[in-house]
Amino acid sequence: MRAQDIPGALLDLQQQHQFRQRYILETPQSCQVVIEGKSYVAFASNDYLGLANHPALIEATQQALGRWGVGGGASHLVAGHFAVHEEAEHALAAFCGSEAALLFSSGYAANQAVITSLVGRGDAVFADKLNHASLNDACQLSRASFRRFRHNDLTQLEHLLATTPARTRLIAVDAVYSMDGDEAPLKKLQQLADKYDAWLYIDDAHGFGVLGEGCGSAVENGLHGERLIYMATLGKAAGVAGAFVAASQQLVQWLVNKARTYIFTTAQPPALAAAVLASLQLIAGEPWRRQRLQQHVRCLRERLADVNFQLMPSRTPIQPIIIGRNEQAMLLAARLKECGYWVPAIRPPTVPEGTARLRLTLTAAHTQDQLEGLLDSVVAATQP
């Protein structure tokens, strides 16, 4: 795009109700926030367990800053792999029941690392059509044949696997889909991966900390094996930042040697690894957080069962209400904002055309009164 084309393109986005802008958060991440001078109860955060501002994580980070300093200073392979990084990787692997784990600066970087280091020209990667953008970008950058199958359609996936001439094959899926809140059929996917000698790569950004007693979707489904590669982000339920990949020791060694987004970037601040260690203790030691989440989910689904818009089938903290048109979704979000609730509208291209929605996300930090107040406002705002 030329420089002179940008003003017109921005205007087009505004006219299509697809223009995006940032809002300034003036408080720590919480269910009660101040945004641009006004107080809201927020139902838009992925801080599912309410750990992002937890005193234990703050204290662990402060102590680590005093010991390790701020910056990583170098890549992990040069001089940036601190003892606390190593400790966190061992703890994450044990938590997920894997041989080894590897820290990354983001889930985006982890997805690119795994997929581009395992498949290339002449290979094939198979991806669910509702996969996160970072998975799609990684598949395209790999230069492998990129085949997308209909959402959770195992029959189509098996046909694609059975007919590909590629020697190396990789199946990539989200464990929990970020905009719908539903889940991939992981057990059946692993069966297909085993049958057709394919890697199974699971992006569990929204399941880690929430499902499987906090250990994630792979543990909940009893998955294991040398073809399984598990990735989870640490900036959602864990309340910190970054991501990790858990797999066999040999696969992790391969990533250390071949993954460009790991090799050619400065290591994360070591203090964040200390925060991860504190987070794992809370995830394991405070199951009441997940229990409260489950109670919130049940309450929401009971109260909104009869609203005039579609409620997606989800047992997770992600509870979308499909509105349809962009302008209508924006209007409903504005009504909730007037009532003191921060629930931004999600529009294309983040979701398919015609499926603009309110994406309600629940956290263990929400009180029952806050949830009831939101639900009262949603019911009122969606009345014809």
Side-chain angles (χ1 to χ4, degrees), residues 84-100:
V84 69
H85 287 138
E86 184 77 3
E87 184 181 358
E89 288 176 348
H90 284 295
L92 287 164
F95 195 72
C96 296
S98 297
E99 289 183 2

Side-chain angles (χ1 to χ4, degrees), residues 103-217:
L103 285 167
F104 286 87
S105 58
S106 68
Y108 219 111
N111 284 341
Q112 288 198 22
V114 172
I115 293 174
T116 61
S117 67
L118 289 177
V119 295
R121 286 192 177 95
D123 301 326
V125 59
F126 306 91
D128 191 289
K129 281 201 171 181
L130 293 189
N131 275 356
H132 190 266
S134 61
L135 281 171
N136 291 334
D137 288 355
C139 293
Q140 291 177 325
L141 288 170
S142 73
R143 301 180 182 178
S145 172
F146 181 22
R147 307 297 302 275
R148 302 175 72 187
F149 56 92
R150 290 182 294 272
H151 180 49
N152 284 345
D153 190 333
L154 300 183
T155 301
Q156 185 186 21
L157 172 59
E158 181 162 18
H159 173 74
L160 294 174
L161 287 165
T163 56
T164 181
R167 182 168 178 266
T168 301
R169 307 155 184 190
L170 185 147
I171 303 166
V173 296
D174 281 307
V176 177
Y177 288 89
S178 61
M179 291 297 118
D180 286 4
D182 64 338
E183 300 162 63
L186 295 181
K187 290 182 180 179
K188 293 180 179 179
L189 283 165
Q190 186 169 51
Q191 291 171 1
L192 286 178
D194 290 341
K195 181 177 179 179
Y196 291 98
D197 190 21
W199 295 101
L200 175 59
Y201 182 52
I202 299 171
D203 180 333
D204 199 24
H206 298 275
F208 181 74
V210 175
L211 302 177
E213 300 300 319
C215 299
S217 298

